[in-house]
Structures are given as structure tokens and as C-alpha cells.
Amino acid sequence: MAAKKLRRAQLSQEMCERLSRYQITTCQDFLCLSLLELMKVTGQSYYEVQKLLCKVSRACAPKMQTAYEMKLRKSVNPSSAFLSTTLHSLDRVLHGGVPCGSLTEITSPPGCGKTQFCIMLSVLATLPVSMGGLDGAVIYIDTESAFSAERLIEIAANRFPAYYDSDEKLLCMTRSIHLYRELTCCSVLKRIMSLEEEIILKKVKLVIIDSVASVVRKEFDTKLQGNLAERSNFLTRGASVLKYLAEEFSIPVILTNQITTALSSGPGVRADLVSPADDLSLSEGSSVSGKRDSAYVTAALGNTWSHSVNTRLILQYHDLPTRQAMSNVLLLQFI
């Protein structure tokens, strides 16, 4: 919440403009300054600056709410609490669809359809509420240059031919999908930090990052000293801001991850993640390199990341046209 813009902290426009001249634009920028520094940049007295500090602190502090208020907000309009996937079995497992106000991770082996699934959700989010959509824009952060505008149009035209019955409607839909190609951890984090203002200005109803693991694995070799701590810091900072945005604006945030194979040196002992799981034939109890080490398939990025997401969907191959999706211990199939 410290990334919240000062304009949303109920400061006057004149004060925000004055602070921006000193590159002070967020609550964090403001709260990191001493009283003397704030007196200098604001031109206010000691007591006036204290009042400003209290106002900014309240603006970025999480507000208390009761469990009853949380339940009441969802029960008033249950449809707004989820983005339907239009896959009835999957929506049933998820109790309505992809939940708003939280982080949903989609992980799978390579080529199993994570990006296609994200593109389909992008289309669904732009649909009117009467059709199960969110009637809003989408921010799509692509770290693998995998997004295809042609595929977006193809999915929209094939799934909803009655609604997208003209090229004009299809083009209007594409204008609601805002694509950013960010290829480094630094640029991804910078983009995440700037999302709040865009969500407000562009009326964004869905944020997608495809994929988190791509940039992290490319930049952080966890075998090198200090890299594991830096990776954890990047993941926790990014997840914290994304959770705030999801809750603050009651929107779903979708993140794709990759699959990895991990080794266990003995019963109940699991080692760190070691390599991408291109070969899913390994299962617990397998013999690796002639040793009694067992291998198991799991989502990448380790425990720090797994505790950051609220919902995890695992896609896997079933047969040629069919995929399976698992959420917790539930399993379903779809084409």
C-alpha cells in the first residue's frame, strides 16, 4: 500500500504538484522523509507537517474490516466476486470462476496452454457483465513475447460469434487489451509499481503477468551466493503490490508459472528446485542416476512464491485434444 499515489491520499492538488517537483509521488516517498525534510519541501510548519504525515499514513494503512463485512460484500453481488472461465467444470471447482481480489497462479509443463488460457481470460474480462464478463480493460505483461493479437481475435470470434459479429467490435475489444513486454525483473517490478494509476485511468478489470518464472529463472542462479535472497526479495515485493492492487480494486490478478522437477534425498526430505520438468515421467519414488533419490514435479519458484498466491491451477496433458486442470486436490478435464 505504500506504493499508493499521493493524489489518492487526499492531499491537495497544489501540494501534490509541489511534492512531484521533488520526485515525491507515492506515500512511501513521503513517509521516508524526516520532519525537517518535509518542512523544507512542503513549506509547511512543524505542526502542519505532522498533520500531513497522519493523513498519508492513514491513506496507505490497511483498513480494519470484520469477517461479516467481507462476507456481506461478496453476498451482495456474487457475480462480481469471480471472473467466469466459461468452462463449467472449472467454474464449479472454483465456486464461480477466477476469484477477484486475489492472486491466481496457472502452472503447467511447456506448451500445455497457459498463454492461450490467459488470452481467453483477457477476452472474457472485456465482455459485458450481462455475458459474465467484467466490462473493463486488461493489462497484460508479457515476459516471453508469447502474446498473439491474431490469436486473441481468433478466440473472441470463435467463442462468441454472436457478440463479435463485426470487425469493428473485434477491433474495439483489442483496444481494451494493454500489452507490455517486460523482459527483465527490474522492468517487471517497475511496471507493477506503476499499475495503480493505470488501473484507475484505464478502468482495468484484469491484470495478467505471463510469466513470472521466465524472468526470474533467467536472472537468478540460486546456486550463486546471495541470489536466492535477491530472488525472494523480488518475488515478495512484487506479490505484495499485486495483492494490494487485487484487494483495493477487487480485480483478479493472473500469474503464470513453470513446472520444475525437485529431488528428495530421503523420506520426507525435499531438496531445492533443480531443473525444468520437461520429462513428467518422473514421479515420487523413482530412481535418479542409480540412487534412491526420489523426484517429484512441482511448481517453480519455491516456497516463498507458493505462499504468496491464493489459488493455484495446474494444467497437464491428458490426451491430444484434452487437458486436465487441478486446483488443490480437485481434478477436471477440458478440451
Side-chain angles (χ1 to χ4, degrees), residues 142-145 182-188 211-222 224 227 231 234 258 301:
D142 180 11
T143 69
E144 297 183 307
S145 299
E182 309 292 357
L183 305 179
T184 67
C185 288
C186 181
S187 63
V188 169
S211 80
V212 176
S214 176
V215 288
V216 170
R217 284 177 145 185
K218 184 169 59 180
E219 293 190 28
F220 295 107
D221 182 353
T222 55
L224 298 178
N227 269 13
R231 185 184 79 163
F234 165 77
Q258 298 172 351
L301 302 182

Side-chain angles (χ1 to χ4, degrees), residues 124-140:
L124 297 173
T126 64
L127 289 173
V129 175
S130 60
M131 294 180 64
L134 299 177
D135 194 21
V138 177
I139 288 180
Y140 197 115

Side-chain angles (χ1 to χ4, degrees), residues 6 19 36 47 62 118 128 134 137 151 156 162 174-175 177 184 190 196 219 222 237 258 296 300 302 313:
L6 284 172
L19 291 169
L36 289 176
Y47 296 105
C118 289
L134 299 177
R151 183 61 178 147
T174 61
R175 294 190 189 102
I177 314 293
T184 67
K190 187 176 180 180
E196 183 174 21
E219 293 190 28
T222 55
R237 285 185 67 193
Q258 298 172 351
Y296 61 96
L313 295 177

